[in-house]
């Protein structure tokens, strides 16, 4: 009895599919995007210490590179980003109460606007991007500096924005 029920469920799954629907036609009328200069309201996330570059430029460049996979620079759509808050907090400690793992968090307000149809496609206040990393050896992952972690946080933010706004998976 159990075997026939399992076989029936497998058959039903095979004929119905997994429910995935491609969204390749998502925003097909948009061929370009303008990524506005990023506004950073938290002074703790101003510039990259080792190069002196401003994070507003670094974030904008990274997001622009991600969106270039689909759209060229232009006026069909616009992405506005405000980094409201940056936090760096210890989340794991060793036996001597010294931090061994940190959590880096950006709180972001953004608006993605379709300028062809003059409407807001997506808007969110307090979108949160988190990156956790170790700062000591021997934890299963190599330790990272704060600057390395910021670079990875920015890359993950860029990739997530692209997936969320340009591809709509």
């Amino acid at each position: 009895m159990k075997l026939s029920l399992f076989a029936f469920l497998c058959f039903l799954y095979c004929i119905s599919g997994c429910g995935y629907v491609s969204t390749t036609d998502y925003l097909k009328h948009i061929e370009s995007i303008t990524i506005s200069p990023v506004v950073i309201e938290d002074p703790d996330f101003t510039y990259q210490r080792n190069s002196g570059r401003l994070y507003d430029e670094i974030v904008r460049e990274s997001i622009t590179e991600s969106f270039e996979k689909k759209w060229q620079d232009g006026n069909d759509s616009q992405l506005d980003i405000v980094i409201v808050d940056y936090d760096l907090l210890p989340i794991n400690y060793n036996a001597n109460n010294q931090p061994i793992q940190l959590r880096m968090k950006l709180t972001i307000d953004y608006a993605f606007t379709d300028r062809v149809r003059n409407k807001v496609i997506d808007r969110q206040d307090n979108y949160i991007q988190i990156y956790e990393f170790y700062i000591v050896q021997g934890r299963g992952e190599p330790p990272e500096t704060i600057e390395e972690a910021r670079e990875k946080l920015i890359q993950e933010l860029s990739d997530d924005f692209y997936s969320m706004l340009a591809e709509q998976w």
Side-chain angles (χ1 to χ4, degrees):
M1 177 71 175
K2 289 183 181 181
L3 184 58
S4 62
L5 179 61
F6 178 74
F8 174 74
L9 290 174
C10 287
F11 173 75
L12 188 61
Y13 178 78
C14 289
I15 63 168
S16 67
C18 62
Y20 173 77
V21 177
S22 175
T23 57
T24 56
D25 289 339
Y26 173 71
L27 300 176
K28 64 183 175 182
H29 64 284
I30 292 179
E31 296 178 4
S32 63
I33 186 169
T34 296
I35 302 191
S36 301
V38 175
V39 176
I40 298 180
E41 295 181 347
D42 190 322
D44 293 334
F45 196 72
T46 305
Y47 67 95
Q48 191 177 45
R49 292 175 200 249
N50 58 0
S51 72
R53 290 189 62 212
L54 297 174
Y55 274 113
D56 58 349
E57 296 170 359
I58 295 168
V59 171
R60 185 173 184 271
E61 285 174 12
S62 181
I63 291 173
T64 299
E65 286 175 17
S66 290
F67 277 83
E68 284 176 344
K69 297 173 196 170
K70 183 169 185 170
W71 296 315
Q72 61 185 337
D73 186 33
N75 293 322
D76 289 351
S77 63
Q78 180 171 333
L79 178 59
D80 300 307
I81 298 171
V82 177
I83 297 176
V84 178
D85 191 35
Y86 165 79
D87 287 316
L88 180 63
L89 303 168
I91 58 170
N92 203 350
Y93 298 87
N94 65 13
N96 296 324
N97 207 26
Q98 298 295 318
I100 60 172
Q101 186 179 21
L102 302 176
R103 174 179 292 140
M104 192 174 284
K105 179 174 82 169
L106 290 176
T107 304
I108 300 164
D109 296 345
Y110 71 87
F112 182 46
T113 307
D114 179 343
R115 294 169 101 190
V116 173
R117 296 185 177 158
N118 199 28
K119 68 177 189 173
V120 174
I121 298 166
D122 192 10
R123 175 184 196 96
Q124 186 171 342
D125 291 337
N126 298 317
Y127 175 85
I128 295 177
Q129 187 75 35
I130 294 174
Y131 184 74
E132 296 177 353
F133 61 102
Y134 287 96
I135 56 175
V136 298
Q137 294 281 354
R139 295 294 171 184
E141 296 179 26
E144 297 177 52
T145 66
I146 290 174
E147 290 299 324
E148 290 169 332
R150 282 182 182 164
E151 288 174 17
K152 290 182 180 176
L153 174 72
I154 292 168
Q155 187 58 55
E156 284 184 5
L157 175 69
S158 300
D159 294 344
D160 289 352
F161 267 37
Y162 176 77
S163 293
M164 185 172 54
L165 301 175
E167 291 297 319
Q168 280 289 305
W169 294 110

